[in-house]
């Protein structure tokens, strides 16, 4: 089985590492010449809009998936006429447009912050009369890791934020004073088999995920699963899907979906019986899904902008080190570490030591 991946970053790399033991081979399509998946994947260099390159890519593979949601939906739709594409392009179309995403949540009865479509400064001024301050203005597309958004706390921020985001189509959302941020990752197979990973409790810095702690038996597990089941059915979904949520006063509000393997599930590589990466490959190739239960208590932390000393990380009992082989840049995810221990107390003690080594 030859699997094509749109995008050649660390998620493509980890997908290949999860799928190679299953006998799969991988080809990535990525415009950048040098990417971190190159050591485990064949690499076609080309643009997602170039049909000749897309034809070459499709000819080399049996099925196609993607590692990030900013792949143009036209590209996924074009390829789906040639080879199976999982998750379906419809999921890509929803997740890459924040307005479509929030509208779908509303249609399915999934609670979200109040929101409004913004196409002009007048729209923004009008929407603020209903949604109020504080609120968050976000571009409808191309936003990730805190990019493409601005918090509005008073009238003084309005024109500045509109200019900062380039005057493009946006969505205005009510600011959520959440108790915590969580996510749930689930997998659906080609025949509709579904499994769920335990809820992850997440902390962000400057809009980028900093750490994620696996929370087995979390009280928000069941309501989070009910939300994601609705999305699975509506989208006829195949593969891994992540749903990011805010918890506020014992209630969940949906923030966004990611139709792919997800940063908050990296703990599953060492911490679950079957990682999210292996389960994604199982799902899209028609194999039975694997056990998602955690082996022990576990958590993960990202290396952002700087990679800590590997020996120092690995000196911590139960720690695992992942270097993506990327050039260091401010705000860039360069790797991560996870920790796995038999008791919650031991895991948290080791995690505190791990966090002390990471910016």
């Amino acid at each position: 089985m030859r699997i094509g991946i749109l995008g050649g970053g660390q998620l493509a790399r980890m997908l290949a590492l999860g799928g190679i033991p299953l006998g799969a081979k991988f080809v990535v399509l990525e415009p950048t010449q040098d990417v971190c998946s190159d050591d485990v994947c064949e690499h076609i260099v080309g643009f997602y809009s170039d049909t000749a390159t897309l034809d070459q890519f499709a000819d080399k593979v049996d099925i196609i998936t993607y590692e990030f949601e900013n792949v143009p939906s036209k590209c996924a739709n074009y390829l789906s006429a040639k080879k199976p594409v999982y998750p379906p392009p419809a999921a890509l179309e929803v997740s890459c447009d924040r307005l479509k995403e929030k509208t779908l949540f509303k249609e399915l009865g999934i609670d979200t912050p109040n929101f409004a479509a913004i196409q002009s400064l007048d729209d923004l001024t009008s929407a603020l009369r209903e949604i109020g301050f504080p609120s968050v203005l976000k571009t409808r597309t191309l936003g990730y890791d805190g990019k493409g958004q601005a918090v509005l706390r008073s009238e003084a921020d309005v024109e500045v934020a509109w200019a900062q985001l380039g005057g493009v189509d946006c969505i205005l959302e009510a600011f959520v004073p959440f108790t915590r941020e969580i996510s749930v990752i689930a997998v659906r197979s080609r025949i509709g088999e579904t499994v769920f990973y335990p809820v992850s409790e997440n902390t962000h810095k400057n809009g980028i995920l900093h750490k994620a702690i696996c929370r087995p038996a979390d009280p928000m597990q069941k309501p989070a699963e009910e939300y994601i089941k609705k999305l699975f059915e509506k989208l006829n979904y195949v593969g891994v899907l992540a749903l990011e949520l805010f918890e506020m006063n014992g209630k969940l509000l949906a923030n966004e979906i990611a139709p792919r393997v997800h940063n908050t599930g990296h703990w599953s590589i060492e911490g679950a019986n079957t990682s999210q990466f292996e389960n994604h490959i199982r799902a899209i190739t028609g194999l039975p899904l694997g056990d998602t239960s955690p082996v022990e208590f576990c958590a993960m932390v990202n290396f952002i902008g700087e990679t800590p000393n590997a020996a120092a990380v690995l000196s911590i009992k139960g720690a695992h080190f992942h270097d993506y082989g990327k050039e260091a840049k401010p705000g860039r995810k360069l790797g991560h570490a996870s920790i796995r221990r038999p008791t919650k107390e031991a895991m948290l003690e080791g995690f505190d030591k791990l966090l002390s080594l990471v910016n």
Side-chain angles (χ1 to χ4, degrees), residues 39-335:
D39 53 353
V40 286
C41 301
E42 180 181 346
H43 180 188
I44 295 175
V45 179
F47 294 104
Y48 303 123
S49 57
D50 181 359
T51 56
T53 301
L54 296 181
D55 290 342
Q56 178 192 0
F57 177 63
D59 286 344
K60 280 182 168 284
V61 300
D62 300 300
I63 57 175
I64 296 167
T65 189
Y66 42 89
E67 64 139 18
F68 71 117
E69 56 269 42
N70 287 327
V71 173
S73 57
K74 285 183 179 179
C75 167
N77 280 310
Y78 180 85
L79 289 168
S80 68
K82 297 175 177 294
K83 296 290 168 69
V85 175
Y86 302 118
L92 195 61
E93 291 173 7
V94 168
S95 65
C96 71
D97 185 322
R98 285 168 164 145
L99 180 60
K100 290 182 179 179
E101 185 177 56
K102 288 294 194 298
T103 302
L104 178 63
F105 291 159
K106 189 174 181 180
E107 175 190 334
L108 295 178
I110 297 172
D111 292 332
T112 73
N114 290 337
F115 66 92
I118 306 297
Q119 293 181 294
S120 66
L121 187 57
D122 286 344
D123 286 347
L124 179 55
T125 302
S126 177
L128 281 166
R129 285 196 284 269
E130 180 179 343
I131 293 175
F133 297 101
S135 56
V136 186
L137 184 66
K138 301 178 179 180
T139 57
R140 282 180 55 173
T141 62
L142 301 178
Y144 63 96
D145 286 348
K147 298 177 176 65
Q149 57 185 277
V151 178
L152 309 182
R153 301 189 184 279
S154 70
E155 291 285 354
D157 297 327
V158 176
E159 290 191 17
V160 174
W162 179 249
Q164 175 188 327
L165 297 185
V168 298
D169 287 355
C170 289
I171 180 172
L172 182 71
E173 298 178 12
F175 185 86
V176 179
F178 54 82
T179 309
R180 60 179 182 153
E181 294 177 275
I182 66 170
S183 58
V184 62
I185 293 173
V187 197
R188 187 171 186 264
S189 74
R190 282 156 52 169
I191 62 170
E193 179 189 4
T194 303
V195 294
F196 298 86
Y197 286 90
V199 157
S200 172
E201 183 175 317
N202 311 316
T203 303
H204 290 76
K205 283 186 176 180
N206 301 317
I208 304 172
L209 181 72
H210 172 52
K211 61 183 180 178
I213 302 174
C214 174
R215 297 294 193 192
D218 192 277
M220 293 293 106
Q221 182 77 34
K222 287 300 180 185
E225 288 184 9
E226 290 305 312
Y227 278 171
I228 215 165
K229 284 176 186 176
K230 293 179 179 182
L231 291 161
F232 274 162
E233 291 301 315
K234 177 66 175 180
L235 297 170
N236 193 24
Y237 200 87
V238 175
V240 166
L241 177 67
L243 174 61
E244 296 186 58
L245 301 142
F246 300 121
E247 182 184 353
M248 186 176 69
N249 302 323
K251 179 181 178 181
L252 291 180
L253 298 176
N255 180 28
E256 61 186 27
I257 58 170
R260 53 170 172 81
V261 288
H262 196 254
N263 199 172
T264 62
H266 288 0
W267 62 265
S268 68
I269 298 173
E270 289 86 23
N273 281 286
T274 312
S275 76
Q276 64 164 336
F277 300 98
E278 180 180 336
N279 254 338
H280 185 77
I281 301 304
R282 289 188 184 210
I284 68 174
T285 58
L287 293 171
L289 300 183
D291 180 6
T292 57
S293 59
V295 178
E296 294 180 312
F297 291 89
C298 44
M300 65 78 59
V301 59
N302 275 329
F303 307 152
I304 301 169
E306 184 178 348
T307 303
N309 180 270
V313 169
L314 294 174
S315 70
I316 301 169
K317 189 173 181 179
H320 300 265
F321 186 89
H322 294 258
D323 186 333
Y324 303 155
K326 296 163 72 174
E327 181 185 352
K329 292 180 181 179
R332 192 178 203 186
K333 294 175 184 174
L334 302 177

